[in-house]
Amino acid sequence: MSERWARAFLTAYRFAGAAAYPLIGPYVAWRTSMGKEDRNRRRERYGIAGRERPDGPVIWIHAASVGETLAVIPLVKSILDYGVNIVLTTGTVTSAQVADERLGDRIIHQYVPLDLKPAVSRFLDHWQPDLAIIAESEIWPMTILELGARRVPQVLVNGRLSDRSFKSWKKRANIAEALFENLAHVVAQSDVDGERFLSLGARPVTVSGNLKVDTTPPPADEKVLSALRRQIGARPTWAAISTHDGEEVVAAEVHAMLHRRHRGLLTIIVPRHPDRAEGLAAQISGMGLKLVRRSKGDKITADTDILLGDTIGEMGLYLRLTEIAFVGRSLTSEGGQNPLEPAMLETAVLAGRNVQNFREAYQRLLDSGGAKLVRDRDMLAGAVNFLLTNEAARHEMMAAGAATVDEMRGALAHTLRSLEPYIQPLVVKSRLQGANGR
């Protein structure tokens, strides 16, 4: 595909809509059919604003779901300190709840519009952002093209490209280049991500490190934590967190393999998607294990085998109940989940080998001894058994993980430096308008 043809294709796409572009068709279908959404705010998906635009400059920041939202919260707070208005969009109800809990009315929250011209245009007509900051891998052609047509600077922060996404874009290299040239700056998570963005035509590209490292540990309600610790007592524990289909059963099988060797063993399973809890509870109970569900308020008793953490926003609670955590989407699924939260809470990290989406974080943890990868259920059982048996080795691994996270910090400062040329003019404009208003 020639560069000239690619540009013509993208121009046509701006007016033809999502059906003309195969890379985002599945995404639009997913967004349109999302079952779990705030029905009272569904109009926001079509770009119909739920709030008035404030006076003065506005920065639009977008973070797709909970992980991305948590990652950008320190960045949002730093920008708010400059006195500039922020409209924060997210794609899920859970991420909206996180934004409300952590930022409150300091920002204006909206659900991100569908990547269709009418919705995006309606959104931009209302909010008229002076700068757009997009987190991680949220690369949606219509939004990028519409912002580009309006000459709104766009900066991708904490940018990453998974192996699959990179291969997909490489097949359409000319389209990628014609699209990515609309980005004023890409601030990538790692050297690998930076090289990938450069090869696809993004300019300029800098590397900041992972913003998720500069977040605070996930919180926990101290009263609830104390109550659960009293129920558990001195029992040995381990957790399987952010698990995907198949990994919960693996964790239950590991428990069955180890509970006679470690008397009183309690296994904590925290599925990535708590809406699967009903089926998981039936499946695990069918294995002859006694299970209690956090969402039901069930008490942990002496004969409880499994605590099913089927709640949202309590990862900090579950991680504080153990010193060993297997991080999911890595054994029966691909890509991995974020190992930084358990590491920063001084938890020994275990994972499967499919951790491509967090390659650099895992590499750093592996190099320091803060994490270990396992290839299957039996190897996971062996690793959990070793850590439960060897307190000194477990504590050494826990300390190594926490130290590694501390060494990796600094992404926020790097990102703010990259954003400074775009934010400072807005700060000046805001102050001048404030002075004229007085």
Side-chain angles (χ1 to χ4, degrees):
M1 182 185 293
S2 70
E3 182 178 348
R4 184 177 180 181
W5 194 95
R7 293 179 189 283
F9 183 82
L10 286 175
T11 300
Y13 171 71
R14 278 191 66 219
F15 300 98
Y21 196 56
L23 283 178
I24 71 159
Y27 163 74
V28 171
W30 169 77
R31 263 204 188 160
T32 305
S33 63
M34 282 181 72
K36 292 201 167 183
E37 61 179 23
D38 188 338
R39 294 181 180 275
N40 295 326
R41 296 175 59 185
R42 184 174 289 176
R43 286 159 59 90
E44 293 173 21
R45 302 284 190 182
Y46 300 95
I48 301 172
R51 299 271 297 275
E52 291 296 319
R53 185 195 189 280
D55 294 331
V58 167
I59 296 176
W60 172 25
I61 299 180
H62 174 62
S65 56
V66 173
E68 292 86 354
T69 303
L70 289 170
V72 301
I73 281 175
L75 179 63
V76 170
K77 289 180 176 178
S78 297
I79 295 173
L80 285 170
D81 289 341
Y82 289 121
V84 181
N85 300 304
I86 290 179
V87 173
L88 175 67
T89 59
T90 64
T92 65
V93 173
T94 311
S95 52
Q97 292 170 347
V98 168
D100 182 59
E101 291 168 3
R102 304 291 180 93
L103 297 167
D105 59 6
R106 296 187 69 193
I107 53 99
I108 297 172
H109 176 270
Q110 297 283 279
Y111 285 107
V112 67
L114 295 167
D115 198 55
L116 298 170
K117 182 175 172 55
V120 174
S121 295
R122 204 175 286 124
F123 178 90
L124 295 178
D125 286 344
H126 178 83
W127 294 109
Q128 299 176 37
D130 298 272
L131 170 66
I133 299 174
I134 306 163
E136 296 208 16
S137 54
E138 287 289 276
I139 301 166
W140 303 119
M142 182 61 69
T143 300
I144 290 175
L145 292 171
E146 285 298 302
L147 284 166
R150 295 166 189 245
R151 304 200 182 284
V152 178
Q154 305 173 62
V155 181
L156 184 68
V157 300
N158 216 36
R160 69 177 177 87
L161 282 173
S162 67
D163 295 348
R164 182 179 298 177
S165 293
F166 180 59
K167 288 176 183 176
S168 179
W169 282 114
K170 284 294 282 185
K171 292 176 183 177
R172 304 164 176 85
N174 286 319
I175 289 180
E177 186 168 356
L179 188 64
F180 288 179
E181 71 175 11
N182 289 277
L183 300 178
H185 199 126
V186 172
V187 186
Q189 285 188 22
S190 69
D191 291 334
V192 171
D193 292 307
E195 290 168 3
R196 287 177 172 179
F197 280 110
L198 281 170
S199 73
L200 293 173
R203 301 286 190 281
V205 175
T206 56
V207 177
S208 67
N210 194 335
L211 280 174
K212 289 176 180 174
V213 182
D214 284 356
T215 59
T216 56
D221 185 306
E222 287 298 328
K223 289 184 179 179
V224 175
L225 179 60
S226 296
L228 290 177
R229 280 175 170 166
R230 284 195 298 272
Q231 293 173 26
I232 295 171
R235 296 175 62 179
T237 65
W238 77 285
I241 65 169
S242 299
T243 51
H244 286 240
D245 189 26
E247 291 172 332
E248 296 87 4
V249 170
V250 168
E253 290 173 345
V254 168
H255 177 91
M257 294 166 70
L258 297 181
H259 79 281
R260 288 188 179 86
R261 187 172 300 182
H262 302 278
R263 291 179 59 84
L265 178 65
L266 177 70
T267 295
I268 303 164
I269 299 177
V270 187
R272 175 67 172 172
H273 302 292
D275 56 342
R276 298 172 51 236
E278 200 71 39
L280 290 174
Q283 192 173 18
I284 294 171
S285 297
M287 297 169 63
L289 300 174
K290 181 166 182 185
L291 175 145
V292 297
R293 293 175 60 177
R294 168 77 183 127
S295 66
K296 304 290 187 183
D298 300 336
K299 285 193 174 182
I300 301 168
T301 58
D303 60 346
T304 299
D305 293 298
I306 308 289
L307 167 61
L308 186 61
D310 56 344
T311 55
I312 293 172
E314 291 193 314
M315 185 61 76
L317 175 70
Y318 301 124
L319 286 173
R320 286 174 173 84
L321 295 175
T322 188
E323 294 181 342
I324 305 166
F326 165 80
V327 183
R329 199 185 175 188
S330 60
L331 205 57
T332 62
S333 298
E334 292 188 3
Q337 296 286 172
N338 181 13
L340 298 171
E341 287 184 346
M344 68 177 63
L345 281 171
E346 296 193 55
T347 307
V349 174
L350 302 173
R353 295 182 173 183
N354 302 312
V355 292
Q356 301 90 333
N357 291 350
F358 295 89
R359 183 182 286 110
E360 184 179 20
Y362 271 105
Q363 192 59 61
R364 294 285 294 270
L365 288 168
L366 289 169
D367 290 345
S368 70
K372 179 180 176 61
L373 301 185
V374 300
R375 67 174 173 270
D376 53 26
R377 180 201 64 183
D378 291 347
M379 192 172 177
L380 175 60
V384 173
N385 177 61
F386 173 80
L387 291 171
L388 288 171
T389 304
N390 296 276
E391 183 178 2
R394 183 173 74 248
H395 286 176
E396 185 177 334
M397 193 171 175
M398 292 158 56
T404 300
V405 172
D406 285 339
E407 291 170 3
M408 292 172 67
R409 294 189 189 278
L412 177 59
H414 286 300
T415 301
L416 285 169
R417 281 197 293 273
S418 297
L419 287 170
E420 189 172 0
Y422 309 98
I423 294 176
Q424 279 305 318
L426 303 183
V427 174
V428 173
K429 182 179 177 181
S430 179
R431 288 173 181 172
L432 286 173
Q433 288 184 347
N436 292 335
R438 290 196 298 270

CSV table of all heavy atoms in Angstrom, one decimal, residues 58 106 186 212 248 278 335 377 405 415:
chain,number,residue,atom,x,y,z
A,58,VAL,N,-8.9,23.7,28.4
A,58,VAL,CA,-9.3,22.4,28.8
A,58,VAL,C,-8.4,21.3,28.3
A,58,VAL,O,-8.0,21.4,27.1
A,58,VAL,CB,-10.8,22.0,28.4
A,58,VAL,CG1,-11.1,20.6,28.5
A,58,VAL,CG2,-11.8,22.9,29.1
A,106,ARG,N,-12.6,17.3,41.3
A,106,ARG,CA,-11.5,18.1,40.8
A,106,ARG,C,-11.4,18.0,39.3
A,106,ARG,O,-10.8,18.9,38.6
A,106,ARG,CB,-10.1,17.6,41.4
A,106,ARG,CG,-10.0,17.8,42.9
A,106,ARG,CD,-8.6,17.5,43.4
A,106,ARG,NE,-7.6,18.5,42.9
A,106,ARG,CZ,-6.3,18.3,43.0
A,106,ARG,NH1,-5.8,17.1,43.4
A,106,ARG,NH2,-5.5,19.2,42.5
A,186,VAL,N,5.0,11.0,21.4
A,186,VAL,CA,4.7,9.7,22.0
A,186,VAL,C,5.7,9.5,23.2
A,186,VAL,O,6.9,9.6,23.0
A,186,VAL,CB,4.8,8.5,21.0
A,186,VAL,CG1,4.7,7.2,21.8
A,186,VAL,CG2,3.8,8.6,20.0
A,212,LYS,N,2.7,3.2,35.9
A,212,LYS,CA,2.1,2.4,36.9
A,212,LYS,C,3.1,2.2,38.1
A,212,LYS,O,2.7,1.9,39.2
A,212,LYS,CB,1.7,1.1,36.3
A,212,LYS,CG,0.5,1.2,35.4
A,212,LYS,CD,0.1,-0.1,34.8
A,212,LYS,CE,-1.1,0.1,33.8
A,212,LYS,NZ,-1.4,-1.1,33.1
A,248,GLU,N,-8.3,-20.1,37.6
A,248,GLU,CA,-8.9,-20.3,38.9
A,248,GLU,C,-9.0,-21.8,39.3
A,248,GLU,O,-8.7,-22.2,40.4
A,248,GLU,CB,-10.4,-19.8,38.9
A,248,GLU,CG,-10.5,-18.3,38.7
A,248,GLU,CD,-10.5,-17.8,37.3
A,248,GLU,OE1,-10.6,-18.7,36.4
A,248,GLU,OE2,-10.5,-16.6,37.0
A,278,GLU,N,-20.1,-16.6,40.1
A,278,GLU,CA,-21.2,-17.6,40.3
A,278,GLU,C,-20.7,-19.0,39.7
A,278,GLU,O,-20.8,-20.0,40.4
A,278,GLU,CB,-22.5,-17.2,39.7
A,278,GLU,CG,-23.7,-17.9,40.2
A,278,GLU,CD,-24.0,-17.4,41.7
A,278,GLU,OE1,-23.9,-16.2,42.0
A,278,GLU,OE2,-24.4,-18.3,42.5
A,335,GLY,N,-0.5,-12.4,27.6
A,335,GLY,CA,-0.3,-11.0,27.8
A,335,GLY,C,0.1,-10.6,29.2
A,335,GLY,O,0.9,-9.7,29.4
A,377,ARG,N,0.8,-26.0,36.0
A,377,ARG,CA,0.2,-26.2,37.3
A,377,ARG,C,1.2,-26.8,38.3
A,377,ARG,O,1.4,-26.3,39.4
A,377,ARG,CB,-1.0,-27.0,37.2
A,377,ARG,CG,-1.7,-27.3,38.5
A,377,ARG,CD,-2.6,-28.5,38.5
A,377,ARG,NE,-1.8,-29.7,38.3
A,377,ARG,CZ,-2.3,-30.9,38.1
A,377,ARG,NH1,-3.7,-31.1,38.1
A,377,ARG,NH2,-1.6,-32.0,38.0
A,405,VAL,N,10.7,-2.1,42.4
A,405,VAL,CA,9.7,-1.1,42.1
A,405,VAL,C,10.3,0.3,42.4
A,405,VAL,O,10.1,1.3,41.7
A,405,VAL,CB,8.4,-1.3,42.9
A,405,VAL,CG1,7.5,-0.2,42.7
A,405,VAL,CG2,7.8,-2.6,42.3
A,415,THR,N,7.5,12.1,32.2
A,415,THR,CA,6.4,12.4,31.4
A,415,THR,C,6.0,13.8,31.5
A,415,THR,O,5.7,14.5,30.5
A,415,THR,CB,5.2,11.5,31.8
A,415,THR,OG1,5.5,10.1,31.7
A,415,THR,CG2,3.9,11.8,31.0
